[in-house]
């Protein structure tokens, strides 16, 4: 989500007037050892493997971003019980200032669909214990996959209660984070409706490798983030703010080469810190810049999850008729080919796509944009009308058409996009100009963990302006079955052979570290039919 988009939404408004064990583990993670100040994490579950992560602070010199401190030997253990009586794999790795004292271990040789406990040690002192789960065997019949789904966690805008509440459930196989895990702004640059709830470190905008490392480290001191990282594996991708607002392949809205230096150097710094600090099995070498984060994970015969990167290869944002230009792309050619091939070849019942930026078309105004066609041709109006937010797929119509046409041509059913970025909750059917009455897939958009949305921008309590804006959205967008623009929180996705359902939870008050949440809405899609049902 972008500041630009926020302003556009403001314009729109003006125009319209657990198991006990899991909880115990989460609790342990908050009792930080001075050696393990940033907790433990796991990610990218495979049927036989899991990625483990931690960061060690062997002495006072070894502060994040310092580039100093000793090379340190770290032991790791993974066991079938929380007391580590049954250690099944263990080993030793070294880390040091060259990788900011972070540790990543890609453990293989594990059993499928199994809960494990893991920990790290330095000279006999142990980290908090983490709990994780491997994926089911590729050919296993799986009755239920339950995922927490989050995006847009802004330190200065509040507390990460959605992480705490997801950690306490104890019934999730994994958590999917769709991007904007952190924000790059200087303190005060992006707040809770003008209030800094807690100050970001460093206080200036992050640009250098040291800056990105320090900001990542701060986010990893959050007790709720530590609890959720320690409770379940995460499956993550990045959006723009992991580098800079409204990033595209060659720059970003929030990057000025004249004062902030080479954008390529900034991306390299941000990507290196990300690779060090995040529990992701990157098919990506931060030193050479080669490889990619987009990847696919499988959960038996029930589901596969394709995680997208919509920032590294995209054309620069554009407006007007340029949004129709087939030469412009949001995915890049290689990723689009990979996505299309994977979706068509998949034997999984459900094709879930981790999609950082919303794909459903959003129009404003009293006339549906597609009715403007003949006039639009004459006047140079883009075929889908003037897009509100050209930073999402609305700014890249050709890629959206290409994906939808491919799904239809290959009779690919049961595709579900799960989306973040726009700090609000949506249930959409995916249509295009040529498929208005025949949705091809559905999209569930989760709200921000903390980042500002409509009522925050206007500076009024929830429930006043959001519904007005939502009613305008509904009027012009029949494929949008639900839009709620005020709430912060998270989603829980339940995938079963016969249906796929998203439950949306909104927190009461994001600036209260002890806030609670309640379920506000559920939509599901039944197998074989790309139509949403309120449930
Ligand atoms: Fe965001």
């Amino acid at each position: 989500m972008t500041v630009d988009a926020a302003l556009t939404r403001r314009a729109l408004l003006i125009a319209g007037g657990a198991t006990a064990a899991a909880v115990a583990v989460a609790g342990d993670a908050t009792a930080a050892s001075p050696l393990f100040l940033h907790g433990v994490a796991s990610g990218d579950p495979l049927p036989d493997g899991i990625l483990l992560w931690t960061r060690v602070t062997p002495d006072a010199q070894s502060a994040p971003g310092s580039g100093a401190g000793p090379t340190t030997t770290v032991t790791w253990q993974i066991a079938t019980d929380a007391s580590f009586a049954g250690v099944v794999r263990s080993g030793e790795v070294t880390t040091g200032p060259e990788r900011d004292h972070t540790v990543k271990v890609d453990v293989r040789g594990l059993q499928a669909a199994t809960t494990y406990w893991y920990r790290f040690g330095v000279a006999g002192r142990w980290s908090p214990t983490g709990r994780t789960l491997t994926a089911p065997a590729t050919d296993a019949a799986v009755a239920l996959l339950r995922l927490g789904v989050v995006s847009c966690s802004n330190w200065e805008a509040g507390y990460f209660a959605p992480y705490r509440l997801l950690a306490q459930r104890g019934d999730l196989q994994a958590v999917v984070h769709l991007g904007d895990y952190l924000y790059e702004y200087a303190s005060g640059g992006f707040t809770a409706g003008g209030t800094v709830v807690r100050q970001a470190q460093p206080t200036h905008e992050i640009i250098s490798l040291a800056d990105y490392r320090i900001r990542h480290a701060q986010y990893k001191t959050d007790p709720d983030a530590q609890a959720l990282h320690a409770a379940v594996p995460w499956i993550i991708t990045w959006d723009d703010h992991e580098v800079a607002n409204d990033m595209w392949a060659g720059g970003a809205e929030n990057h000025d080469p004249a004062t902030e230096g080479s954008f390529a150097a900034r991306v390299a710094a941000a990507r290196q810190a990300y690779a060090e600090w995040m529990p992701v099995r990157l098919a990506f070498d931060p030193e050479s810049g080669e490889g990619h984060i987009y990847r696919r994970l499988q959960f038996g015969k029930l589901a596969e999850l394709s995680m997208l990167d919509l920032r590294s290869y995209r054309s620069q944002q554009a407006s007007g008729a340029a949004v129709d230009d087939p030469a412009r792309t949001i995915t890049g050619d290689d990723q689009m080919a990979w996505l299309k091939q994977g979706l068509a070849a998949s034997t999984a019942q459900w094709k879930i796509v981790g999609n950082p930026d919303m794909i459903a078309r959003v129009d404003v105004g009293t006339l549906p944009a597609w009715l403007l066609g003949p006039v639009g041709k004459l006047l140079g109006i883009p075929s889908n009308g003037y897009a509100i937010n050209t930073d999402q797929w609305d700014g890249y119509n050709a890629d959206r058409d290409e994906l939808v046409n491919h799904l239809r041509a290959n009779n690919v059913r049961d595709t579900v996009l799960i989306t973040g970025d726009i700090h609000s909750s949506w249930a959409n059917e995916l249509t295009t100009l040529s498929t208005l009455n025949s949705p091809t897939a559905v999209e569930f958009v989760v709200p921000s963990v903390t980042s500002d949305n409509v009522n925050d921008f206007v500076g009024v309590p929830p429930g006043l302006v959001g519904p007005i804006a939502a009613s305008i959205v509904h009027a012009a967008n029949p494929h949008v079955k639900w839009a709620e623009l005020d709430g912060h929180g998270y989603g829980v996705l339940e995938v079963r052979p016969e249906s796929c359902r998203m439950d949306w939870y909104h927190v009461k008050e994001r600036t209260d570290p002890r806030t609670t949440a309640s379920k506000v809405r559920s939509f599901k899609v039944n197998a074989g039919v790309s139509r949403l049902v309120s449930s």
Side-chain angles (χ1 to χ4, degrees):
M1 147 67 184
T2 73
V3 172
D4 282 355
L7 292 173
T8 319
R9 280 206 304 272
R10 191 196 300 235
L12 179 154
L13 270 173
I14 292 165
T19 62
V23 174
V25 165
D28 285 347
T30 62
S33 138
L35 257 173
F36 297 96
L37 295 168
H38 302 94
V40 298
S42 68
D44 285 355
L46 301 174
D48 69 339
I50 196 77
L51 186 84
L52 305 182
W53 178 93
T54 194
R55 199 268 178 184
V56 295
T57 308
D59 62 17
Q61 278 196 315
S62 310
S66 65
T71 295
T72 305
T73 300
V74 181
T75 307
W76 59 271
Q77 293 182 333
I78 188 163
T80 49
D81 62 304
S83 59
F84 292 88
V87 171
V88 294
R89 288 280 184 286
S90 62
E92 249 180 34
V93 292
T94 58
T95 186
E98 71 286 349
R99 49 174 302 131
D100 210 17
H101 286 93
T102 58
V103 175
K104 282 166 97 165
V105 181
D106 195 353
V107 182
R108 300 298 170 99
L110 303 177
Q111 297 297 310
T114 302
T115 299
Y116 289 97
W117 284 262
Y118 62 95
R119 62 183 177 179
F120 299 88
V122 174
R125 293 158 68 194
W126 292 107
S127 70
T129 295
R131 172 185 172 274
T132 194
L133 296 85
T134 49
T138 307
D139 60 355
V142 177
L144 171 64
L145 172 67
R146 190 183 286 114
L147 303 172
V149 189
V150 287
S151 75
C152 298
S153 32
N154 177 14
W155 180 275
E156 291 211 328
Y159 297 94
F160 298 155
Y163 292 170
R164 168 171 51 83
L165 296 164
L166 285 168
Q168 287 171 353
R169 289 181 64 105
D171 65 352
L172 302 174
Q173 274 100 325
V175 161
V176 177
H177 198 300
L178 293 159
D180 294 353
Y181 180 89
L182 51 68
Y183 284 77
E184 83 281 12
Y185 296 110
S187 181
F190 192 41
T191 59
T195 301
V196 175
V197 177
R198 46 181 183 165
Q199 191 172 57
Q201 292 295 331
T203 54
H204 57 266
E205 184 178 327
I206 53 175
I207 296 170
S208 70
L209 175 59
D211 293 342
Y212 281 100
R213 284 170 162 174
I214 292 166
R215 187 69 59 88
H216 270 283
Q218 181 183 38
Y219 276 66
K220 286 282 191 304
T221 63
D222 180 90
D224 298 327
Q226 289 194 2
L228 188 54
H229 276 301
V232 287
W234 287 38
I235 301 165
I236 59 178
T237 188
W238 53 52
D239 195 28
D240 51 340
H241 291 286
E242 282 84 354
V243 179
N245 183 54
D246 279 9
M247 179 186 169
W248 56 284
E253 176 274 336
N254 191 28
H255 181 82
D256 179 0
T259 58
E260 297 176 318
S262 144
F263 185 66
R266 184 175 186 175
V267 172
R271 294 291 187 242
Q272 181 178 337
Y274 189 95
E276 291 167 351
W277 281 87
M278 298 298 287
V280 56
R281 190 181 291 112
L282 272 176
F284 172 84
D285 176 357
E287 283 178 20
S288 68
E290 288 172 11
H292 49 79
I293 193 173
Y294 63 81
R295 65 202 185 284
R296 190 169 285 125
L297 296 160
Q298 183 139 3
F299 297 87
K301 291 191 281 193
L302 179 65
E304 64 166 33
L305 173 60
S306 301
M307 296 294 289
L308 301 187
D309 174 355
L310 297 184
R311 293 293 166 181
S312 300
Y313 320 105
R314 72 156 73 192
S315 312
Q316 186 167 12
Q317 293 83 352
S319 56
V323 301
D324 285 340
D325 181 354
R328 295 178 62 259
T329 179
I330 189 170
T331 59
D333 292 346
D334 288 352
Q335 183 177 206
M336 177 61 86
W338 167 86
L339 179 62
K340 285 163 56 179
Q341 194 279 333
L343 291 173
S346 175
T347 55
Q349 166 81 50
W350 293 96
K351 274 68 68 177
I352 314 291
V353 180
N355 172 49
D357 304 311
M358 194 158 87
I359 193 166
R361 195 184 67 254
V362 181
D363 301 320
V364 284
T366 54
L367 195 60
W370 56 90
L371 296 182
L372 289 170
V375 182
K377 218 170 205 173
L378 190 68
L379 302 180
I381 294 172
S383 63
N384 282 284
Y386 280 114
I388 301 179
N389 183 348
T390 54
D391 187 54
Q392 46 194 34
W393 288 75
D394 259 349
Y396 303 86
N397 281 322
D399 271 4
R400 181 170 50 201
D401 286 350
E402 183 175 347
L403 180 59
V404 167
N405 292 340
H406 177 79
L407 293 175
R408 297 177 80 84
N410 290 277
N411 202 23
V412 178
R413 296 172 185 275
D414 303 330
T415 302
V416 175
L417 296 110
I418 54 175
T419 302
D421 176 57
I422 56 165
H423 308 176
S424 45
S425 308
W426 302 63
N428 304 320
E429 292 173 348
L430 179 59
T431 59
T432 59
L433 185 58
S434 56
T435 63
L436 283 175
N437 295 314
S438 171
T440 304
V442 302
E443 177 176 44
F444 298 130
V445 184
V446 297
S448 66
V449 170
T450 56
S451 300
D452 267 8
N453 50 26
V454 167
N455 65 299
D456 307 317
F457 291 132
V458 180
V460 298
L464 294 176
V465 292
I468 298 170
S471 70
I472 295 165
V473 167
H474 284 303
N477 300 276
H479 55 283
V480 174
K481 300 306 173 188
W482 180 56
E484 202 286 341
L485 308 181
D486 287 343
H488 306 281
Y490 56 95
V492 175
L493 187 74
E494 285 195 358
V495 189
R496 302 172 194 274
E498 68 278 9
S499 67
C500 181
R501 189 181 90 220
M502 182 71 92
D503 297 330
W504 282 264
Y505 293 81
H506 289 172
V507 297
K508 263 193 195 141
E509 175 51 60
R510 66 185 159 147
T511 62
D512 174 4
R514 286 176 297 280
T515 195
T516 55
S518 53
K519 182 155 60 171
V520 294
R521 198 71 197 257
S522 301
F523 275 88
K524 73 170 182 177
V525 56
N526 291 319
V529 190
S530 294
R531 295 273 185 191
L532 288 171
V533 183
S534 182
S535 66

